[in-house]
């Protein structure tokens, strides 16, 4: 008879609506990553910031949840998981920059639509061992939830995970911005003002964030073409927790992901060589290989 699952594993599977066999998969692929993070944290003797990149629907949130649960249960390390998505500007703030700068900035997603000051202050608290309030963004209403519903971290943590679809994206050379990459850029950004603003946000604000990161993890999709299907599946999964709120249609998702195409493709091409831990995925999001910078340098 199989041993009963520990409570933390049962809770993790329930939260993420996963079958029991996910755990053996996770142990095989993510156990080495957890061990490496524990060793680095013990050596550094301070709170680590671990950044995670992955296109929409690649499994970043699930992996962060698993690592947080595992580190606490097996190593006694407290952690916090942040999503870049929770630091979007409010709907009102995005409407204002859409008026002031470019209409496409009303749509959340690209750099330039995040509250980088709020993110920096939250990281200051967590990395400094102080209490912190972690904001939450409700995608069903396209707005940040009231502060009374933010997650409260009251005790020091040893590891902070920050996941985001564009984490690690670097500003592109200006000449790479000249040609549009999709119909959205052709129709709605013909003069390139939006993509140049996004690029400047990467250079001015995200580069500062990256200097704080201790370790980089990437879930690498095989191509941008997979993102549409993954995002559609993600939307359907989110619908189960939205209490009847509307979700995006397939056509709306096809339009929405065009906001992400340029930087997603840029990350897929440039980021794998720069991360510390790289997972290569197939079209079904199954892990095909794992490499770490430490192993590559042996």
């Amino acid at each position: 008879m199989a041993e009963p699952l520990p409570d933390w594993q049962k809770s993790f599977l329930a939260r993420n609506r996963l079958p029991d066999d996910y755990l053996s998969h996770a142990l095989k692929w993510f156990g080495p990553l957890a061990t490496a993070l524990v060793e680095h944290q013990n050596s550094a003797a301070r709170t680590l910031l671990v950044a995670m990149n992955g296109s929409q629907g690649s499994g970043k949130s699930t992996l962060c949840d698993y690592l947080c649960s595992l580190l606490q249960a097996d190593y006694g390390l407290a952690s916090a998981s942040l999503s870049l998505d929770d630091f979007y500007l409010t709907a009102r703030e995005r409407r204002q920059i859409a008026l002031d700068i470019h209409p496409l900035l009303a749509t959340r997603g690209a750099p330039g639509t995040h509250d980088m000051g709020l993110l920096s202050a939250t990281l200051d608290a967590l990395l400094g061992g102080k209490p912190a309030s972690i904001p939450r963004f409700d995608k069903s209403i396209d707005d940040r939830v009231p502060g009374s519903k933010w997650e409260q971290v009251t005790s020091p943590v040893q590891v902070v995970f920050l996941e985001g679809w564009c984490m690690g994206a670097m500003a592109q050379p200006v000449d790479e911005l000249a040609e549009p990459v999709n119909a959205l850029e052709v129709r709605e950004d013909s003069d390139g003002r939006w993509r140049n603003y996004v690029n400047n946000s990467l250079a001015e604000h995200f580069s500062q964030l990256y200097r704080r990161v201790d370790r980089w993890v990437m879930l690498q999709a095989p191509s941008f073409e997979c993102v549409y299907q993954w995002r559609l599946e993600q939307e359907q999964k989110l619908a189960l927790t939205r209490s009847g709120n509307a979700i995006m249609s397939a056509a709306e998702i096809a339009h929405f992901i065009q906001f992400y195409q340029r930087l997603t493709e840029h990350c897929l091409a440039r980021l794998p060589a720069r991360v510390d831990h790289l997972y290569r995925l197939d079209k079904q999001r199954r892990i095909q290989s794992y490499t770490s910078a430490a192993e590559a340098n042996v």
Side-chain angles (χ1 to χ4, degrees):
M1 182 180 296
E3 291 289 326
L5 295 176
D7 288 343
W8 77 266
Q9 292 183 346
K10 290 189 287 188
S11 297
F12 166 77
L13 293 173
R15 281 195 306 274
N16 293 280
R17 295 181 172 84
L18 294 168
D20 289 1
D21 61 8
Y22 177 89
L23 296 171
S24 58
H25 159 91
L27 180 63
K28 172 185 176 180
W29 292 109
F30 305 139
L33 170 59
T35 300
L37 295 178
V38 170
E39 291 174 351
H40 186 60
Q41 197 280 328
N42 288 339
S43 175
R46 58 174 173 78
T47 304
L48 297 185
L49 177 58
V50 180
M52 187 176 301
N53 171 279
S55 59
Q56 296 183 63
S58 60
K60 302 182 299 298
S61 298
T62 302
L63 176 52
C64 287
D65 189 4
Y66 176 79
L67 290 171
C68 285
S69 301
L70 177 66
L71 292 180
Q72 179 66 64
D74 286 5
Y75 300 97
L77 295 181
S79 55
S81 180
L82 311 183
S83 172
L84 192 61
D85 289 356
D86 283 322
F87 291 87
Y88 285 131
L89 295 168
T90 65
R92 180 178 180 178
E93 289 168 333
R94 284 181 282 118
R95 285 194 297 269
Q96 187 60 53
I97 60 172
L99 291 172
D100 295 341
I101 301 168
H102 195 285
L104 289 179
L105 293 170
T107 299
R108 68 177 191 266
T113 64
H114 300 88
D115 189 333
M116 300 302 286
L118 177 60
L119 175 56
S120 181
T122 304
L123 289 175
D124 285 345
L126 291 171
L127 297 177
K130 300 175 183 177
S133 296
I134 301 177
R136 295 301 181 211
F137 191 93
D138 186 343
K139 293 178 180 178
S140 68
I141 60 172
D142 195 28
D143 210 350
R144 192 182 298 163
V145 304
S148 60
K149 296 183 178 180
W150 293 10
E151 179 182 347
Q152 303 301 312
V153 177
T154 57
S155 301
V157 298
Q158 287 75 56
V159 183
V160 177
F161 293 98
L162 174 58
E163 56 92 352
W165 74 275
C166 62
M167 283 298 297
M170 306 295 287
Q172 294 179 267
V174 175
D175 60 346
E176 292 185 13
L177 302 176
E179 293 297 322
V181 299
N182 54 33
L184 174 78
E185 292 189 0
V186 170
R187 293 192 309 266
E188 302 182 55
D189 189 40
S190 58
D191 59 2
R193 282 190 302 116
W194 173 71
R195 51 189 183 267
N196 273 278
Y197 181 81
V198 169
N199 205 52
N200 289 337
S201 295
L202 282 173
E204 295 175 14
H205 303 297
F206 279 73
S207 60
Q208 297 178 36
L209 169 62
Y210 298 162
R211 287 195 285 270
R212 309 184 73 166
V213 174
D214 294 288
R215 286 293 184 267
W216 287 91
V217 181
M218 183 180 190
L219 300 175
Q220 184 187 16
S223 67
F224 180 74
E225 284 66 35
C226 297
V227 175
Y228 167 75
Q229 185 60 41
W230 291 0
R231 185 63 181 83
L232 183 60
E233 292 171 4
Q234 184 184 53
E235 192 75 8
Q236 292 166 344
K237 186 175 181 179
L238 287 171
L240 299 176
T241 64
R242 287 184 175 175
S243 303
N245 285 318
I247 64 171
M248 285 192 284
S249 67
E252 288 171 330
I253 290 173
H255 174 75
F256 183 62
I257 64 172
Q258 290 186 66
F259 286 82
Y260 297 74
Q261 182 174 351
R262 173 179 291 276
L263 287 183
T264 298
E265 292 180 335
H266 187 55
C267 286
L268 291 176
R270 307 290 178 85
L271 199 54
R274 301 203 309 268
V275 299
D276 301 293
H277 302 273
L278 175 65
Y279 292 92
R280 297 185 186 276
L281 311 181
D282 66 11
K283 292 181 180 180
Q284 285 72 45
R285 284 176 292 194
R286 295 175 301 210
I287 297 173
Q288 297 302 292
S289 67
Y290 163 66
T291 55
S292 71
E295 292 172 348
N297 293 329
V298 171

